[in-house]
Amino acid sequence: MPSLPNWSNGKSAPATTPAPRIPVPTARAIVDCAVYVDGKRLPGKFTHNAALAEVRRRGNGFVWVGIHAPDESQMQYVAQTFGLHELMVEDAVHAHERPKLERYDDVMFLVLRTVVYVPHESVETANEIVETGEIMVFVGPDFVVTVRHGDHSELASVRKALEQLPERLAMGPWSVLHAITDHVVDTYLSVTQLVEQDVDSMEELVFNPRNTVAVEHIYLLKREIVELRRSVTPLGMPLLQLTQPAGGLVPKEIRRYFRDVRDHHTIVSERISEYDEVLSSLVDAALAKIAVQQNTDMRKISAWVAIAAVPTGIAGIYGMNFENMPELGSQYGYPMVMVFIASVCVGLFFLFRRNNWL
């Protein structure tokens, strides 16, 4: 039987070749793929290749492909089918993009940031209040490709609601883009309403004289508001572009719907700015409250130090071991000194108590 090699003699073992990465099929990332003709979904299941071929064979309708968290190879395969630019693919895979709208020939690329409210018992015990995700939408003449990042950014409800409105789907791929942006902005509205309750709770805690609020809790809430603002505010410019006729890609009827979405987005942006200002004021108020408490504590400490200085000073004088000092030879010298010390200390105590130092 051949002996096994011994690598304990100081020689390094030969480098092992890493196992090749097995590509995950694109179908794993595709959540749903459907063909819509005259506002109605065609029966049956389609791959994204077959769906696009069916639409172009008919010369009518469009494809809606929903993808969740694809890797680079999966997204490249989809991009080859729909003719997506490589820069679009890079953004869709790596995510973490600001909301933006870009045009590549006859394809529009919209990035949306999604938000969800994280339930918690109290704003003082919460570690996270708002969680974010992303949705990328590619809109072409006969297709819509949506790429989602984040577990909360589902679009199944949007697809189901649209399928109940065939007249809206009959307007083409842009109706899907409007439905998605409208859904995302409506989510902004609901999240800001819930965040407002946290802001109000924090305001009550700060201005309650019996409560001491840690500034860290306000900073946490302000950090979440900043994250919410970064997700929401940049979407204003893309929505403005979608309401304007320049470019000629968005139909006039859909632009009217986008104006309503933009109005809701403006309301959300104003709310977030208001919350940010309120929290900045709460930070100042909390710091002022802490400063007042520190001043009160320093006055108490100073008062007790002043009281303690009386016996300390007198004991220090009589501890100098001189022979010729007052009352050293007196029988009542010690009691007299103790009574004097107690009288001065009690007098100082009531004096400080009357001045609200104790």
Side-chain angles (χ1 to χ4, degrees):
M1 180 177 179
S3 60
L4 295 176
N6 182 13
W7 305 110
S8 61
N9 55 4
K11 296 183 180 180
S12 59
T16 57
T17 304
R21 182 177 178 273
I22 301 176
V24 179
T26 304
R28 293 278 190 90
I30 295 179
V31 178
D32 198 357
C33 178
V35 176
Y36 297 93
V37 178
D38 296 329
K40 297 181 179 180
R41 178 170 182 163
L42 296 185
K45 294 184 177 180
F46 295 88
T47 64
H48 63 286
N49 290 313
L52 186 62
E54 177 67 19
V55 167
R56 293 181 176 175
R57 183 186 66 81
R58 290 172 174 267
N60 187 21
F62 66 93
V63 181
W64 181 1
V65 180
I67 306 175
H68 180 253
D71 60 25
E72 189 170 355
S73 62
Q74 292 170 336
M75 196 63 207
Q76 284 285 358
Y77 190 51
V78 174
Q80 291 174 3
T81 302
F82 293 98
L84 304 180
H85 195 277
E86 61 181 357
L87 294 178
M88 292 182 178
V89 175
E90 182 180 353
D91 290 343
V93 172
H94 299 291
H96 303 295
E97 294 288 330
R98 288 169 58 90
K100 63 180 180 178
L101 179 66
E102 295 179 347
R103 178 177 178 178
Y104 294 81
D105 298 327
D106 58 349
V107 178
M108 278 286 191
F109 175 51
L110 177 64
V111 178
L112 299 164
R113 295 293 298 272
T114 60
V115 297
V116 65
Y117 183 80
V118 180
H120 48 271
E121 294 182 359
S122 171
V123 68
E124 293 183 281
T125 59
N127 294 322
E128 187 177 21
I129 296 176
V130 175
E131 182 181 341
T132 61
E134 290 187 44
I135 297 178
M136 286 85 165
V137 187
F138 306 86
V139 184
D142 52 6
F143 66 85
V144 177
V145 178
T146 55
V147 179
R148 301 186 296 109
H149 291 272
D151 296 332
H152 67 272
S153 57
E154 59 86 22
L155 294 176
S157 59
V158 179
R159 187 188 290 265
K160 184 177 180 180
L162 267 180
E163 290 176 354
Q164 303 300 319
L165 301 171
E167 68 282 359
R168 188 74 62 83
L169 277 173
M171 296 180 182
W174 293 100
S175 62
V176 176
L177 179 64
H178 163 262
I180 294 173
T181 54
D182 186 49
H183 168 72
V184 171
V185 173
D186 285 346
T187 304
Y188 293 165
L189 285 169
S190 61
V191 169
T192 53
Q193 290 174 353
L194 294 172
V195 171
E196 184 176 6
Q197 299 176 7
D198 289 330
V199 174
D200 292 341
S201 299
M202 183 62 70
E203 191 172 11
E204 292 178 3
L205 290 172
V206 170
F207 291 107
N208 189 336
R210 297 182 179 180
N211 289 336
T212 302
V213 180
V215 183
E216 291 78 7
H217 298 150
I218 307 178
Y219 285 152
L220 169 65
L221 186 54
K222 189 172 178 62
R223 183 195 68 191
E224 298 296 297
I225 293 296
V226 169
E227 184 176 3
L228 186 61
R229 184 183 63 197
R230 290 176 178 174
S231 300
V232 173
T233 304
L235 183 59
M237 183 56 67
L239 290 176
L240 177 62
Q241 295 173 353
L242 289 170
T243 59
Q244 296 177 348
L249 290 181
V250 185
K252 181 178 180 180
E253 186 65 25
I254 299 297
R255 291 202 303 269
R256 294 173 179 172
Y257 287 109
F258 275 119
R259 291 191 187 99
D260 181 66
V261 176
R262 184 167 177 264
D263 290 340
H264 291 170
H265 179 268
T266 302
I267 294 173
V268 175
S269 298
E270 290 175 353
R271 284 182 182 178
I272 294 174
S273 298
E274 179 183 350
Y275 300 158
D276 195 21
E277 293 176 1
V278 169
L279 290 175
S280 297
S281 301
L282 291 182
V283 170
D284 295 338
L287 292 177
K289 191 174 182 180
I290 292 174
V292 171
Q293 184 62 42
Q294 289 176 342
N295 289 335
T296 302
D297 294 340
M298 288 301 299
R299 285 190 302 178
K300 290 181 179 180
I301 295 172
S302 300
W304 286 113
V305 169
I307 294 173
V310 174
T312 302
I314 295 176
I317 293 174
Y318 278 89
M320 292 187 293
N321 296 323
F322 290 109
E323 294 183 358
N324 298 320
M325 295 185 69
E327 308 299 337
L328 284 180
S330 173
Q331 180 181 359
Y332 301 102
Y334 177 75
M336 290 175 59
V337 172
M338 297 303 295
V339 170
F340 176 75
I341 291 175
S343 300
V344 174
C345 290
V346 171
L348 288 175
F349 176 81
F350 284 106
L351 176 64
F352 291 136
R353 173 64 64 88
R354 187 179 64 181
N355 292 329
N356 295 322
W357 281 47
L358 290 175

